Amino acid sequence: MAKESPSLSSSMSSVLRAYAAPIFIFVLAMFFQLFLLPRSFPTSHYDVLGVKTYGSVDDVREAYEAIASKWNSDSGDARPADFIKIQYAYELLTNPVWKRDYDLYAIDESLHITEELEKQYAMEDFAKIKTPLLEAVSYDPEHEGFMAITSQDFASKFQDSKPWLIQLYSSGSNSSAQFSMAWRRIVDLLDGVANHAMVELGDVRLVTYLAEKKTTGQVLFRNGLPSIVAFPPQCKTADCLIRFEGELSTDAVTDWFATTVLELPRVFYHTKETLSMVLGRGSRSKTNHIRNFHGCTLICKAAGRIVSKSYRFFHVMVPKFLAKVPPNKVRVILFSQTGERATPSVRQAAKDYWNFASLTYVLWREEDASFWWNALEVESAPAMVIMKDPGLKPVVYHGSGNRTWFLDILEQNKQLQLPQLSSTTSMELGCDARGYSRAGFETATWYCAVLVGRQSTELNKMRETMCRVQDALSNHDESDEASKDPSVAPAASAHKNKRLTLAWLDGEVQSKYCFFYVQSETSYDTCGTRKSPIDVPRILIIRYHRNATESANVEKKSSNWPKTVWESEADDVDPAAQLVVSYDGPAETPEIIKWLSKMVEDGDSKNLPFYRAKTPELVPESTEPMRSGVPKSVKATQALLRLWNRIKDYLADPRMGPTLLLGALLSAGSVWLTRSRAIQQPVQTTQQSSTNQSDNNTEEEKKKERKRRNAKGEEAPASITDNEPKDAVQILSSGSDSD
């Protein structure tokens, strides 16, 4: 047998390599068309009965009766599996709602029953099978108080900016009926947070708009019924539609809606162990920093911890939650018996009150009852504890109220008793020379008593004292004869008339503002970054005074344009005059009140100098970051899942086989055209090179001939008759006249 030549073998391998891609695409097209596609389109119930697709109910009954009569006459040949399939198809296609769902949306949620019955009656006679196989369900959500919408009133319902949660259901779906209790709970949890509605599958136009679609455009219910979709706030178009793809449960749906749709922050749970931790040894400065946390004193007492007076060693319980919350926010602890996830209304409140309060949950356990009673005076759950300023007794509310009750309590307790002076509260408190008093625009003189200092134990103690001072001034009764003390009345009257405000200032964060008012040799003990373990909080009273004449002059000068450099520098001051006095007495409530009264009395009665300056701007306080929405890892997982679902949709698309086959043909044609051009190009190149070579040889020969003649000194004649040869003889003809 002759061996195949190497040239032929290499030629075949090169052809196979060139056509590898078209061959692969062709094989893939055949595999898809012959194996994958038939699995995506199993035998329909119409095929089981021998009825054309989408046949009428009468056609289904006729086909079933024909099969039943045949089986009755020859029952020995009937198999239980065949009977179950035929009976199931008959019951499904004779129910109008089930037939509609099957024809329009390919919904067949009871198909698993056939597999169970086939296993149960595999060895039995088909006559023993109990019929009917399916139990009809009639589900009407409007009788249960749920709101149903249609394509006619869809646009009119979506007028407000609230988010919407919509359930797509079928009146004949058993799964939809079973989900009604969970839907009731979901609606109750979303009360006041979002709107809700239900859409029946009979409204084909609206269902097509809301449901997911295959690559062919057919409506798809990937996870069956019911299907949950949502519209986020401020958007009611299909572009921003969000689809729920998880497990149909109350917790899963509400958590998905609050996290994905509303992007609300989570409210985490703490136990007695996770809410606090035990620390060991440390220095005095570290101890002071740790004891700074709100509520630490109460919890430390409840845990039986004692802080050493020498601060050399300490053994103190530090609340983690309380430590992370900024000192200008209220702490809210919610006690729960069930441990269920925070409701959307609670998470919405956590977002709305983020700048005022921080919320957390605690799981109530009977074995911890004595601890929580000693620490926070909580008797049982459910309960809500609100912790404000250091040293103040927590406010406890027992029982579970509705959403309105919960929001009212938060609104009433969102502010600290002694407010913090910051960039966002200075105008509201009246502690700003550019603004006005809380008493109104007509008030000429008002006061602001400010406690300044760095975050420390000493500052917390003084905050407790200032809270007592504020309570004493608020509870002062002028009608009581015993209360008409001249050392208290001026401050109490000014506080009642909103001309005196008490606040505290973080001297480390607001260092420029603090140094502006505390001008002494020991100001570094109060303001700026801590450079020594000494922290000295100070009480200042600032008298603001507006002079009507001076204010008019300032407004008149500000209206003139343009200003000179000198005028702009001179007039760039605050409109209200300020006088600052520091308190140097003992840190006792009666003494501080007497001092405040003396300052108010002198400020109102004496003619003090009108001194205006430019107060430094308050630095915005660093806010606690709000983590909301879906984590990035979860988003990546969801994106991969959506990609995989899209791939499966393409694998079930009947257009993929012909598309792949067309791609294989186009690819093969492209390869053939490329190879043909590559073969023709070398032949043309060879012919052209040979022609060029012959022309070059002829030209070279002519050049050589001219060179050779030039070397002999001869010139080539113009024609053959120009020169006569030497031996030439003239021959005359016979008829010549020369004779």
Side-chain angles (χ1 to χ4, degrees), residues 99-137:
K99 185 177 186 300
R100 178 204 65 189
D101 296 343
Y102 182 73
D103 292 345
L104 296 179
Y105 311 113
I107 295 176
D108 187 7
E109 62 181 17
S110 301
L111 187 60
H112 62 281
I113 294 178
T114 59
E115 299 177 358
E116 297 174 359
L117 293 176
E118 287 177 6
K119 293 179 181 179
Q120 180 179 355
Y121 296 100
M123 305 303 295
E124 300 288 342
D125 184 29
F126 79 93
K128 297 182 179 180
I129 300 176
K130 297 180 180 180
T131 58
L133 304 179
L134 304 177
E135 182 180 357
V137 177

mmCIF file of all heavy atoms in Angstrom, residues 99-137:
data_model
loop_
_atom_site.group_PDB
_atom_site.id
_atom_site.type_symbol
_atom_site.label_atom_id
_atom_site.label_comp_id
_atom_site.label_asym_id
_atom_site.label_seq_id
_atom_site.Cartn_x
_atom_site.Cartn_y
_atom_site.Cartn_z
ATOM 1 N N LYS A 99 -56.306 26.509 31.894
ATOM 2 C CA LYS A 99 -56.010 26.460 30.458
ATOM 3 C C LYS A 99 -55.455 27.809 29.970
ATOM 4 O O LYS A 99 -54.516 27.849 29.175
ATOM 5 C CB LYS A 99 -57.270 26.094 29.670
ATOM 6 C CG LYS A 99 -57.051 25.892 28.172
ATOM 7 C CD LYS A 99 -58.336 25.468 27.491
ATOM 8 C CE LYS A 99 -58.088 25.115 26.036
ATOM 9 N NZ LYS A 99 -57.543 26.242 25.252
ATOM 10 N N ARG A 100 -56.049 28.907 30.462
ATOM 11 C CA ARG A 100 -55.547 30.233 30.079
ATOM 12 C C ARG A 100 -54.096 30.425 30.532
ATOM 13 O O ARG A 100 -53.246 30.883 29.759
ATOM 14 C CB ARG A 100 -56.428 31.309 30.712
ATOM 15 C CG ARG A 100 -55.989 32.731 30.445
ATOM 16 C CD ARG A 100 -56.499 33.671 31.522
ATOM 17 N NE ARG A 100 -55.911 33.375 32.818
ATOM 18 C CZ ARG A 100 -56.307 33.934 33.966
ATOM 19 N NH1 ARG A 100 -57.326 34.762 33.975
ATOM 20 N NH2 ARG A 100 -55.697 33.622 35.106
ATOM 21 N N ASP A 101 -53.803 30.057 31.765
ATOM 22 C CA ASP A 101 -52.436 30.220 32.273
ATOM 23 C C ASP A 101 -51.451 29.335 31.513
ATOM 24 O O ASP A 101 -50.300 29.735 31.269
ATOM 25 C CB ASP A 101 -52.388 29.882 33.764
ATOM 26 C CG ASP A 101 -53.236 30.839 34.597
ATOM 27 O OD1 ASP A 101 -53.578 31.921 34.081
ATOM 28 O OD2 ASP A 101 -53.551 30.502 35.760
ATOM 29 N N TYR A 102 -51.912 28.135 31.132
ATOM 30 C CA TYR A 102 -51.035 27.212 30.405
ATOM 31 C C TYR A 102 -50.800 27.682 28.975
ATOM 32 O O TYR A 102 -49.676 27.609 28.463
ATOM 33 C CB TYR A 102 -51.660 25.812 30.413
ATOM 34 C CG TYR A 102 -50.818 24.765 29.728
ATOM 35 C CD1 TYR A 102 -49.661 24.280 30.324
ATOM 36 C CD2 TYR A 102 -51.184 24.264 28.472
ATOM 37 C CE1 TYR A 102 -48.890 23.312 29.692
ATOM 38 C CE2 TYR A 102 -50.417 23.301 27.844
ATOM 39 C CZ TYR A 102 -49.266 22.834 28.452
ATOM 40 O OH TYR A 102 -48.488 21.893 27.826
ATOM 41 N N ASP A 103 -51.836 28.174 28.320
ATOM 42 C CA ASP A 103 -51.700 28.609 26.929
ATOM 43 C C ASP A 103 -50.899 29.903 26.805
ATOM 44 O O ASP A 103 -50.055 30.034 25.914
ATOM 45 C CB ASP A 103 -53.083 28.803 26.306
ATOM 46 C CG ASP A 103 -53.829 27.492 26.136
ATOM 47 O OD1 ASP A 103 -53.171 26.434 26.237
ATOM 48 O OD2 ASP A 103 -55.058 27.517 25.930
ATOM 49 N N LEU A 104 -51.170 30.860 27.686
ATOM 50 C CA LEU A 104 -50.541 32.178 27.561
ATOM 51 C C LEU A 104 -49.171 32.257 28.210
ATOM 52 O O LEU A 104 -48.257 32.901 27.686
ATOM 53 C CB LEU A 104 -51.456 33.253 28.166
ATOM 54 C CG LEU A 104 -52.811 33.467 27.496
ATOM 55 C CD1 LEU A 104 -53.603 34.539 28.227
ATOM 56 C CD2 LEU A 104 -52.619 33.857 26.036
ATOM 57 N N TYR A 105 -49.007 31.601 29.361
ATOM 58 C CA TYR A 105 -47.790 31.794 30.146
ATOM 59 C C TYR A 105 -47.038 30.497 30.435
ATOM 60 O O TYR A 105 -46.036 30.527 31.162
ATOM 61 C CB TYR A 105 -48.136 32.464 31.481
ATOM 62 C CG TYR A 105 -49.021 33.675 31.337
ATOM 63 C CD1 TYR A 105 -50.337 33.661 31.818
ATOM 64 C CD2 TYR A 105 -48.565 34.832 30.723
ATOM 65 C CE1 TYR A 105 -51.166 34.763 31.693
ATOM 66 C CE2 TYR A 105 -49.384 35.948 30.591
ATOM 67 C CZ TYR A 105 -50.686 35.908 31.080
ATOM 68 O OH TYR A 105 -51.497 37.004 30.957
ATOM 69 N N ALA A 106 -47.510 29.362 29.906
ATOM 70 C CA ALA A 106 -46.866 28.059 30.116
ATOM 71 C C ALA A 106 -46.749 27.727 31.599
ATOM 72 O O ALA A 106 -45.765 27.141 32.051
ATOM 73 C CB ALA A 106 -45.487 28.031 29.455
ATOM 74 N N ILE A 107 -47.768 28.099 32.387
ATOM 75 C CA ILE A 107 -47.778 27.833 33.828
ATOM 76 C C ILE A 107 -48.467 26.499 34.077
ATOM 77 O O ILE A 107 -49.621 26.292 33.668
ATOM 78 C CB ILE A 107 -48.495 28.961 34.586
ATOM 79 C CG1 ILE A 107 -47.713 30.269 34.450
ATOM 80 C CG2 ILE A 107 -48.676 28.607 36.056
ATOM 81 C CD1 ILE A 107 -48.393 31.447 35.090
ATOM 82 N N ASP A 108 -47.763 25.614 34.740
ATOM 83 C CA ASP A 108 -48.288 24.295 35.086
ATOM 84 C C ASP A 108 -47.713 23.937 36.450
ATOM 85 O O ASP A 108 -46.787 23.133 36.570
ATOM 86 C CB ASP A 108 -47.896 23.268 34.018
ATOM 87 C CG ASP A 108 -48.559 21.921 34.241
ATOM 88 O OD1 ASP A 108 -49.416 21.834 35.133
ATOM 89 O OD2 ASP A 108 -48.202 20.967 33.536
ATOM 90 N N GLU A 109 -48.249 24.538 37.491
ATOM 91 C CA GLU A 109 -47.651 24.430 38.821
ATOM 92 C C GLU A 109 -47.978 23.118 39.527
ATOM 93 O O GLU A 109 -47.425 22.851 40.590
ATOM 94 C CB GLU A 109 -48.098 25.602 39.686
ATOM 95 C CG GLU A 109 -49.593 25.675 39.938
ATOM 96 C CD GLU A 109 -49.975 26.879 40.788
ATOM 97 O OE1 GLU A 109 -49.143 27.801 40.905
ATOM 98 O OE2 GLU A 109 -51.093 26.905 41.338
ATOM 99 N N SER A 110 -48.861 22.296 38.971
ATOM 100 C CA SER A 110 -49.215 21.013 39.612
ATOM 101 C C SER A 110 -48.614 19.820 38.890
ATOM 102 O O SER A 110 -49.035 18.680 39.114
ATOM 103 C CB SER A 110 -50.746 20.860 39.676
ATOM 104 O OG SER A 110 -51.332 21.914 40.395
ATOM 105 N N LEU A 111 -47.631 20.046 38.040
ATOM 106 C CA LEU A 111 -47.063 18.956 37.251
ATOM 107 C C LEU A 111 -46.387 17.908 38.117
ATOM 108 O O LEU A 111 -46.307 16.734 37.740
ATOM 109 C CB LEU A 111 -46.060 19.528 36.239
ATOM 110 C CG LEU A 111 -45.479 18.554 35.220
ATOM 111 C CD1 LEU A 111 -46.595 17.942 34.373
ATOM 112 C CD2 LEU A 111 -44.453 19.246 34.328
ATOM 113 N N HIS A 112 -45.908 18.310 39.283
ATOM 114 C CA HIS A 112 -45.224 17.343 40.155
ATOM 115 C C HIS A 112 -46.179 16.251 40.653
ATOM 116 O O HIS A 112 -45.737 15.177 41.087
ATOM 117 C CB HIS A 112 -44.624 18.065 41.366
ATOM 118 C CG HIS A 112 -45.664 18.733 42.230
ATOM 119 N ND1 HIS A 112 -46.235 19.944 41.902
ATOM 120 C CD2 HIS A 112 -46.244 18.339 43.396
ATOM 121 C CE1 HIS A 112 -47.103 20.286 42.841
ATOM 122 N NE2 HIS A 112 -47.137 19.330 43.755
ATOM 123 N N ILE A 113 -47.484 16.520 40.583
ATOM 124 C CA ILE A 113 -48.454 15.521 41.049
ATOM 125 C C ILE A 113 -48.403 14.270 40.182
ATOM 126 O O ILE A 113 -48.562 13.144 40.676
ATOM 127 C CB ILE A 113 -49.872 16.139 41.057
ATOM 128 C CG1 ILE A 113 -49.946 17.259 42.093
ATOM 129 C CG2 ILE A 113 -50.933 15.077 41.331
ATOM 130 C CD1 ILE A 113 -51.289 17.946 42.145
ATOM 131 N N THR A 114 -48.182 14.427 38.893
ATOM 132 C CA THR A 114 -48.129 13.254 38.003
ATOM 133 C C THR A 114 -46.978 12.332 38.380
ATOM 134 O O THR A 114 -47.134 11.104 38.363
ATOM 135 C CB THR A 114 -47.976 13.727 36.554
ATOM 136 O OG1 THR A 114 -46.768 14.497 36.426
ATOM 137 C CG2 THR A 114 -49.159 14.597 36.141
ATOM 138 N N GLU A 115 -45.824 12.905 38.708
ATOM 139 C CA GLU A 115 -44.686 12.067 39.094
ATOM 140 C C GLU A 115 -44.972 11.318 40.393
ATOM 141 O O GLU A 115 -44.628 10.133 40.533
ATOM 142 C CB GLU A 115 -43.441 12.942 39.239
ATOM 143 C CG GLU A 115 -43.043 13.667 37.960
ATOM 144 C CD GLU A 115 -41.840 14.570 38.166
ATOM 145 O OE1 GLU A 115 -41.350 14.648 39.317
ATOM 146 O OE2 GLU A 115 -41.398 15.196 37.184
ATOM 147 N N GLU A 116 -45.601 11.998 41.344
ATOM 148 C CA GLU A 116 -45.920 11.333 42.609
ATOM 149 C C GLU A 116 -46.938 10.210 42.408
ATOM 150 O O GLU A 116 -46.802 9.122 42.994
ATOM 151 C CB GLU A 116 -46.454 12.366 43.598
ATOM 152 C CG GLU A 116 -45.446 13.452 43.959
ATOM 153 C CD GLU A 116 -46.060 14.530 44.828
ATOM 154 O OE1 GLU A 116 -47.277 14.431 45.122
ATOM 155 O OE2 GLU A 116 -45.335 15.472 45.215
ATOM 156 N N LEU A 117 -47.943 10.457 41.582
ATOM 157 C CA LEU A 117 -48.959 9.426 41.352
ATOM 158 C C LEU A 117 -48.408 8.253 40.558
ATOM 159 O O LEU A 117 -48.803 7.096 40.789
ATOM 160 C CB LEU A 117 -50.158 10.039 40.627
ATOM 161 C CG LEU A 117 -50.975 11.066 41.423
ATOM 162 C CD1 LEU A 117 -52.077 11.660 40.558
ATOM 163 C CD2 LEU A 117 -51.563 10.428 42.675
ATOM 164 N N GLU A 118 -47.512 8.525 39.637
ATOM 165 C CA GLU A 118 -46.919 7.424 38.868
ATOM 166 C C GLU A 118 -46.125 6.496 39.778
ATOM 167 O O GLU A 118 -46.134 5.270 39.605
ATOM 168 C CB GLU A 118 -46.031 7.988 37.768
ATOM 169 C CG GLU A 118 -46.805 8.612 36.615
ATOM 170 C CD GLU A 118 -45.881 9.225 35.585
ATOM 171 O OE1 GLU A 118 -44.654 9.059 35.729
ATOM 172 O OE2 GLU A 118 -46.369 9.874 34.639
ATOM 173 N N LYS A 119 -45.445 7.049 40.752
ATOM 174 C CA LYS A 119 -44.717 6.201 41.701
ATOM 175 C C LYS A 119 -45.684 5.466 42.624
ATOM 176 O O LYS A 119 -45.457 4.301 42.982
ATOM 177 C CB LYS A 119 -43.760 7.068 42.518
ATOM 178 C CG LYS A 119 -42.631 7.679 41.714
ATOM 179 C CD LYS A 119 -41.742 8.536 42.615
ATOM 180 C CE LYS A 119 -40.616 9.185 41.807
ATOM 181 N NZ LYS A 119 -39.746 10.056 42.665
ATOM 182 N N GLN A 120 -46.754 6.130 43.007
ATOM 183 C CA GLN A 120 -47.696 5.528 43.949
ATOM 184 C C GLN A 120 -48.483 4.373 43.319
ATOM 185 O O GLN A 120 -48.701 3.333 43.957
ATOM 186 C CB GLN A 120 -48.663 6.608 44.455
ATOM 187 C CG GLN A 120 -49.691 6.086 45.452
ATOM 188 C CD GLN A 120 -50.613 7.206 45.927
ATOM 189 O OE1 GLN A 120 -50.409 8.373 45.585
ATOM 190 N NE2 GLN A 120 -51.621 6.836 46.722
ATOM 191 N N TYR A 121 -48.901 4.548 42.050
ATOM 192 C CA TYR A 121 -49.725 3.534 41.389
ATOM 193 C C TYR A 121 -48.958 2.789 40.308
ATOM 194 O O TYR A 121 -49.552 2.328 39.333
ATOM 195 C CB TYR A 121 -50.961 4.189 40.768
ATOM 196 C CG TYR A 121 -51.892 4.804 41.784
ATOM 197 C CD1 TYR A 121 -51.869 6.183 42.010
ATOM 198 C CD2 TYR A 121 -52.785 4.017 42.507
ATOM 199 C CE1 TYR A 121 -52.730 6.757 42.929
ATOM 200 C CE2 TYR A 121 -53.645 4.592 43.435
ATOM 201 C CZ TYR A 121 -53.606 5.965 43.646
ATOM 202 O OH TYR A 121 -54.452 6.527 44.563
ATOM 203 N N ALA A 122 -47.660 2.653 40.464
ATOM 204 C CA ALA A 122 -46.860 1.994 39.429
ATOM 205 C C ALA A 122 -47.263 0.529 39.250
ATOM 206 O O ALA A 122 -47.277 0.005 38.130
ATOM 207 C CB ALA A 122 -45.376 2.116 39.765
ATOM 208 N N MET A 123 -47.600 -0.153 40.331
ATOM 209 C CA MET A 123 -47.928 -1.577 40.273
ATOM 210 C C MET A 123 -49.432 -1.837 40.447
ATOM 211 O O MET A 123 -49.831 -2.984 40.654
ATOM 212 C CB MET A 123 -47.158 -2.322 41.370
ATOM 213 C CG MET A 123 -45.652 -2.103 41.339
ATOM 214 S SD MET A 123 -44.902 -2.553 39.755
ATOM 215 C CE MET A 123 -45.219 -4.322 39.752
ATOM 216 N N GLU A 124 -50.254 -0.806 40.359
ATOM 217 C CA GLU A 124 -51.692 -0.951 40.553
ATOM 218 C C GLU A 124 -52.428 -0.850 39.216
ATOM 219 O O GLU A 124 -51.883 -0.395 38.215
ATOM 220 C CB GLU A 124 -52.208 0.140 41.507
ATOM 221 C CG GLU A 124 -51.575 0.113 42.887
ATOM 222 C CD GLU A 124 -52.053 -1.055 43.724
ATOM 223 O OE1 GLU A 124 -53.113 -1.624 43.372
ATOM 224 O OE2 GLU A 124 -51.384 -1.402 44.719
ATOM 225 N N ASP A 125 -53.689 -1.245 39.258
ATOM 226 C CA ASP A 125 -54.543 -1.103 38.094
ATOM 227 C C ASP A 125 -55.000 0.358 37.996
ATOM 228 O O ASP A 125 -55.260 1.010 39.004
ATOM 229 C CB ASP A 125 -55.748 -2.031 38.210
ATOM 230 C CG ASP A 125 -56.618 -1.981 36.957
ATOM 231 O OD1 ASP A 125 -56.076 -1.717 35.857
ATOM 232 O OD2 ASP A 125 -57.832 -2.195 37.094
ATOM 233 N N PHE A 126 -55.088 0.877 36.780
ATOM 234 C CA PHE A 126 -55.425 2.288 36.627
ATOM 235 C C PHE A 126 -56.832 2.597 37.148
ATOM 236 O O PHE A 126 -57.146 3.741 37.465
ATOM 237 C CB PHE A 126 -55.301 2.709 35.158
ATOM 238 C CG PHE A 126 -56.471 2.307 34.306
ATOM 239 C CD1 PHE A 126 -57.530 3.175 34.094
ATOM 240 C CD2 PHE A 126 -56.526 1.049 33.709
ATOM 241 C CE1 PHE A 126 -58.601 2.815 33.306
ATOM 242 C CE2 PHE A 126 -57.601 0.695 32.928
ATOM 243 C CZ PHE A 126 -58.643 1.569 32.712
ATOM 244 N N ALA A 127 -57.675 1.577 37.264
ATOM 245 C CA ALA A 127 -59.029 1.810 37.766
ATOM 246 C C ALA A 127 -59.032 2.185 39.246
ATOM 247 O O ALA A 127 -60.020 2.747 39.744
ATOM 248 C CB ALA A 127 -59.893 0.573 37.536
ATOM 249 N N LYS A 128 -57.981 1.870 39.957
ATOM 250 C CA LYS A 128 -57.903 2.193 41.382
ATOM 251 C C LYS A 128 -57.435 3.623 41.638
ATOM 252 O O LYS A 128 -57.408 4.065 42.791
ATOM 253 C CB LYS A 128 -56.951 1.223 42.087
ATOM 254 C CG LYS A 128 -57.430 -0.223 42.047
ATOM 255 C CD LYS A 128 -56.465 -1.119 42.803
ATOM 256 C CE LYS A 128 -56.945 -2.570 42.787
ATOM 257 N NZ LYS A 128 -56.009 -3.453 43.532
ATOM 258 N N ILE A 129 -57.058 4.325 40.608
ATOM 259 C CA ILE A 129 -56.589 5.702 40.773
ATOM 260 C C ILE A 129 -57.785 6.600 41.046
ATOM 261 O O ILE A 129 -58.767 6.584 40.300
ATOM 262 C CB ILE A 129 -55.834 6.175 39.522
ATOM 263 C CG1 ILE A 129 -54.617 5.267 39.265
ATOM 264 C CG2 ILE A 129 -55.387 7.618 39.674
ATOM 265 C CD1 ILE A 129 -53.861 5.598 38.005
ATOM 266 N N LYS A 130 -57.699 7.389 42.097
ATOM 267 C CA LYS A 130 -58.794 8.264 42.493
ATOM 268 C C LYS A 130 -58.781 9.536 41.646
ATOM 269 O O LYS A 130 -57.750 10.164 41.467
ATOM 270 C CB LYS A 130 -58.676 8.627 43.969
ATOM 271 C CG LYS A 130 -58.788 7.429 44.902
ATOM 272 C CD LYS A 130 -58.661 7.866 46.356
ATOM 273 C CE LYS A 130 -58.766 6.661 47.294
ATOM 274 N NZ LYS A 130 -58.653 7.081 48.721
ATOM 275 N N THR A 131 -59.932 9.850 41.142
ATOM 276 C CA THR A 131 -60.093 11.077 40.355
ATOM 277 C C THR A 131 -61.114 11.976 41.052
ATOM 278 O O THR A 131 -61.985 11.469 41.775
ATOM 279 C CB THR A 131 -60.553 10.748 38.933
ATOM 280 O OG1 THR A 131 -61.778 10.017 38.996
ATOM 281 C CG2 THR A 131 -59.503 9.930 38.189
ATOM 282 N N PRO A 132 -61.047 13.268 40.870
ATOM 283 C CA PRO A 132 -60.075 14.004 40.043
ATOM 284 C C PRO A 132 -58.708 14.097 40.703
ATOM 285 O O PRO A 132 -58.589 14.031 41.931
ATOM 286 C CB PRO A 132 -60.731 15.385 39.915
ATOM 287 C CG PRO A 132 -61.528 15.543 41.170
ATOM 288 C CD PRO A 132 -62.052 14.172 41.491
ATOM 289 N N LEU A 133 -57.712 14.250 39.853
ATOM 290 C CA LEU A 133 -56.344 14.362 40.360
ATOM 291 C C LEU A 133 -56.059 15.743 40.937
ATOM 292 O O LEU A 133 -55.246 15.875 41.857
ATOM 293 C CB LEU A 133 -55.344 14.069 39.230
ATOM 294 C CG LEU A 133 -55.488 12.728 38.512
ATOM 295 C CD1 LEU A 133 -54.438 12.618 37.412
ATOM 296 C CD2 LEU A 133 -55.367 11.568 39.489
ATOM 297 N N LEU A 134 -56.685 16.754 40.398
ATOM 298 C CA LEU A 134 -56.426 18.132 40.798
ATOM 299 C C LEU A 134 -57.629 18.703 41.523
ATOM 300 O O LEU A 134 -58.779 18.391 41.187
ATOM 301 C CB LEU A 134 -56.109 18.998 39.571
ATOM 302 C CG LEU A 134 -54.941 18.533 38.698
ATOM 303 C CD1 LEU A 134 -54.788 19.452 37.488
ATOM 304 C CD2 LEU A 134 -53.655 18.488 39.496
ATOM 305 N N GLU A 135 -57.340 19.551 42.492
ATOM 306 C CA GLU A 135 -58.387 20.228 43.253
ATOM 307 C C GLU A 135 -58.466 21.678 42.806
ATOM 308 O O GLU A 135 -57.487 22.423 42.877
ATOM 309 C CB GLU A 135 -58.087 20.157 44.751
ATOM 310 C CG GLU A 135 -59.168 20.805 45.607
ATOM 311 C CD GLU A 135 -58.843 20.712 47.090
ATOM 312 O OE1 GLU A 135 -57.811 20.086 47.431
ATOM 313 O OE2 GLU A 135 -59.600 21.270 47.892
ATOM 314 N N ALA A 136 -59.619 22.068 42.336
ATOM 315 C CA ALA A 136 -59.802 23.429 41.828
ATOM 316 C C ALA A 136 -59.759 24.431 42.970
ATOM 317 O O ALA A 136 -60.249 24.176 44.072
ATOM 318 C CB ALA A 136 -61.122 23.538 41.077
ATOM 319 N N VAL A 137 -59.135 25.599 42.687
ATOM 320 C CA VAL A 137 -58.986 26.673 43.669
ATOM 321 C C VAL A 137 -59.586 27.938 43.082
ATOM 322 O O VAL A 137 -59.369 28.251 41.903
ATOM 323 C CB VAL A 137 -57.494 26.902 44.025
ATOM 324 C CG1 VAL A 137 -57.360 28.064 44.989
ATOM 325 C CG2 VAL A 137 -56.902 25.644 44.619
#
